[in-house]
Amino acid sequence: MVKTFVLDTSVLLYDPHSIFKFGRNIVQIPLVVIEEVDRFKRDPNENGRNARTFSRHVDRLRKEGPIARGVDLENGGKFLISVKNQGQDQNQNGKLFSHLNLDQNDNVILGNALEIKDRGEDVVLISKDINLRVKADVLGIKSDDYGTRNVSLDDLYTGVKTWEMAPQRLGEFDSDRFLPLEEEERGDINANEYVVLFEKNNSSRRMLGRFCERKGGIVPLIKVREGVWGIYPKNIEQQFAMDALLNNEIKLVSLVGKAGTGKTLLAIAAGLEQTLNKQDYSRVLLSRPVIPMGRDLGFLPGDVNDKLAPWMRPIFDGLDFLFDKKMGSPNSSSWEELIDRGILHVEPLTYTRGRSIPHQYFIIDESQNLSPHEIKTLITRAGEGTKVVLTGDCEQIDGPYLDSINNGLTYCVEKFKEEAIMGHVLLKVGERSALSEVAAKIL
């Protein structure tokens, strides 16, 4: 049976291509949604870009015929814009609408969906707005979030497996520094997935490795006996993370974990090591989305560096810590000097759109605050020889239409987990301080 999906403004600002993703069904948008989208079209941020993209789609579709009557989509569906101001007519739902303020656009959208339901059609209201979905439920209208996946954060890919092995197999790995795996042994292991190998009936003996799809077996981790820019991994997860960060065959690394697990610090240390000491990359590019936590401070005085300083302070704190560790060493110049020399560059993500970034170690911090479309836009900026590192805590979301499951970071992890070009580690153990670890658990 054909369904009618009514989309609200939040969906179009989240994904301007959403009208093409409902298969052979009807996608209907009330006229007030077009008015709301129009208010965003001059914004310089992602909402503005999405609003303009959606407007271009509608402009192209209206050439196919009267859009108020509906035009056919290439996927077999139909798209139309409803011009009726729902809720003003006196019908069997008049009492329901007497409790709603029809001067509010959300209630007009509800009226549109309710009128479709009264015609006996199967209608679903799609919205990223939780309160609008609640009101739809009160009115007996089916509603759903857009782009959600019915999994919990605990079900997401961790990038790590634990295997129990016979003593001789573990001894083979220890002596040969390689453990070949037959097809039936591999099971569902992904490329670059990390493994903790336990000896059967002796859990105290264990070894760490990574599944190398190219070689067809388990390889040992990259050793960091002398540390990386003064940093030493403090737990197994950080050892896995450091291996992924230092491995030039892995071009995309995602590090997910709560506050204090060392995601950003490890990424910056590895980037400096690979760029300054090994010279595998021409520059370390550090970036993060400019999204405030709590009330925004508004206009900030000064030049561009002065304006960006508060937003980039978490990155500068990490650099201060790392360069304090290196004082007295041959590479003891300050990070300010590296910025002046062009080896280290810190900028907001706003400035990366449309660029091509070759031969750089590109770290995107707080990437859980990016939408799937923004993540795609940024990763596709990577040029020849560039490594991209995504870090973030999926339980600390500041974006208005994102959550722990449906943000760009988790989206990227799930989409890339089977690709040989990507490595992923979920870090669970906090190492910042005892206070930070307790706070992350109980608050």
Side-chain angles (χ1 to χ4, degrees):
M1 180 179 178
V2 175
K3 293 184 178 181
T4 299
F5 293 93
V6 177
L7 277 54
D8 87 332
T9 311
S10 62
V11 174
L12 304 177
L13 296 179
Y14 178 83
D15 181 3
H17 315 289
S18 57
I19 58 177
F20 305 109
K21 299 181 179 180
F22 290 89
R24 302 173 69 87
N25 295 294
I26 300 172
V27 177
Q28 182 166 320
I29 294 177
L31 187 61
V32 292
V33 170
I34 303 298
E35 296 173 354
E36 287 187 335
V37 169
D38 188 63
R39 299 193 189 107
F40 288 91
K41 67 182 181 182
R42 291 182 178 84
D43 289 0
N45 54 25
E46 191 70 15
N47 282 341
R49 287 188 287 270
N50 289 344
R52 293 188 292 272
T53 299
F54 171 73
S55 297
R56 287 192 289 269
H57 285 321
V58 174
D59 186 51
R60 177 175 59 83
L61 289 172
R62 70 183 182 86
K63 298 175 183 177
E64 304 294 325
I67 207 164
R69 298 180 185 175
V71 295
D72 294 331
L73 301 176
E74 293 180 359
N75 61 2
K78 178 174 287 189
F79 172 75
L80 64 92
I81 297 177
S82 172
V83 296
K84 192 174 182 182
N85 192 9
Q86 301 298 334
Q88 293 183 347
D89 296 337
Q90 295 299 319
N91 56 25
Q92 59 179 330
N93 291 303
K95 291 183 179 180
L96 289 174
F97 280 99
S98 66
H99 300 288
L100 298 175
N101 179 5
L102 295 176
D103 292 331
Q104 295 182 3
N105 289 343
D106 281 357
N107 294 340
V108 175
I109 297 170
L110 286 172
N112 187 276
L114 192 58
E115 192 267 341
I116 297 171
K117 180 187 175 186
D118 287 345
R119 296 202 303 260
E121 300 179 25
D122 189 0
V123 60
V124 183
L125 175 65
I126 305 296
S127 175
K128 301 293 294 179
D129 186 337
I130 296 176
N131 290 332
L132 182 56
R133 298 200 303 268
V134 170
K135 289 196 287 187
D137 184 70
V138 172
L139 295 174
I141 302 170
K142 288 188 291 186
S143 63
D144 201 357
D145 195 357
Y146 177 78
T148 58
R149 288 167 285 160
N150 295 321
V151 294
S152 67
L153 196 57
D154 294 334
D155 297 327
L156 294 178
Y157 179 58
T158 65
V160 178
K161 281 187 181 299
T162 301
W163 278 357
E164 188 178 62
M165 288 206 157
Q168 59 270 27
R169 291 280 281 164
L170 207 58
E172 179 185 348
F173 180 55
D174 189 20
S175 60
D176 298 343
R177 311 302 295 164
F178 178 68
L179 185 65
L181 295 178
E182 300 296 333
E183 286 292 337
E184 59 272 12
E185 290 183 285
R186 298 180 188 181
D188 60 349
I189 193 170
N190 292 314
N192 297 321
E193 189 164 3
Y194 290 94
V195 291
V196 181
L197 302 175
F198 283 96
E199 182 179 300
K200 190 174 183 179
N201 301 323
N202 182 15
S203 59
S204 62
R205 186 190 181 195
R206 66 186 180 190
M207 300 186 70
L208 308 179
R210 173 179 58 86
F211 175 64
C212 179
E213 189 176 59
R214 178 175 57 83
K215 295 183 177 181
I218 306 296
V219 296
L221 304 184
I222 296 174
K223 297 295 185 182
V224 288
R225 292 187 178 89
E226 298 179 359
V228 176
W229 210 259
I231 297 296
Y232 295 85
K234 292 186 175 182
N235 54 56
I236 290 177
E237 297 160 359
Q238 289 193 357
Q239 291 183 59
F240 291 152
M242 192 63 80
D243 179 84
L245 292 168
L246 296 176
N247 191 331
N248 289 332
E249 292 184 2
I250 302 176
K251 296 300 184 181
L252 174 64
V253 176
S254 57
L255 303 180
V256 178
K258 63 186 178 182
T261 51
K263 308 177 297 296
T264 304
L265 193 65
L266 291 172
I268 297 175
L272 293 171
E273 176 75 14
Q274 295 287 87
T275 303
L276 289 177
N277 292 345
K278 297 185 177 180
Q279 298 184 348
D280 292 331
Y281 303 94
S282 62
R283 182 168 68 172
V284 178
L285 175 59
L286 296 166
S287 195
R288 70 199 313 261
V290 180
I291 298 178
M293 183 184 72
R295 294 179 63 87
D296 194 353
L297 294 176
F299 174 79
L300 296 174
D303 60 19
V304 64
N305 293 324
D306 294 328
K307 294 177 187 296
L308 291 177
W311 301 104
M312 300 299 150
R313 190 65 254 175
I315 290 178
F316 296 149
D317 289 342
L319 289 169
D320 286 336
F321 179 82
L322 290 171
F323 278 83
D324 285 344
K325 289 267 188 181
K326 294 290 287 185
M327 290 303 292
S329 69
N331 290 316
S332 60
S333 58
S334 69
W335 56 265
E336 290 95 340
E337 293 177 23
L338 296 181
I339 289 178
D340 292 339
R341 290 162 54 190
I343 298 175
L344 179 65
H345 195 64
V346 181
E347 66 179 29
L349 291 175
T350 307
Y351 299 150
T352 60
R353 189 180 183 94
R355 295 176 55 190
S356 179
I357 304 174
H359 305 292
Q360 297 184 34
Y361 202 98
F362 184 17
I363 301 172
I364 306 174
D365 194 28
E366 300 293 338
S367 54
Q368 80 279 0
N369 281 321
L370 299 171
S371 70
H373 178 67
E374 289 171 316
I375 282 286
K376 177 182 177 180
T377 300
L378 292 169
I379 294 178
T380 54
R381 299 305 94 211
E384 187 67 30
T386 287
K387 186 185 187 91
V388 178
V389 179
L390 307 175
T391 68
D393 179 0
C394 296
E395 294 184 341
Q396 293 189 3
I397 304 290
D398 299 313
Y401 299 127
L402 304 176
D403 58 38
S404 61
I405 299 298
N406 300 290
N407 60 79
L409 178 56
T410 54
Y411 175 81
C412 182
V413 169
E414 287 298 304
K415 289 290 186 180
F416 268 92
K417 65 183 180 183
E418 297 180 1
E419 300 297 326
I421 204 170
M422 192 248 198
H424 168 71
V425 180
L426 175 64
L427 297 103
K428 299 179 181 178
V429 181
E431 299 288 357
R432 179 175 292 159
S433 68
L435 174 59
S436 173
E437 175 68 0
V438 173
K441 289 181 178 178
I442 69 174
L443 294 182

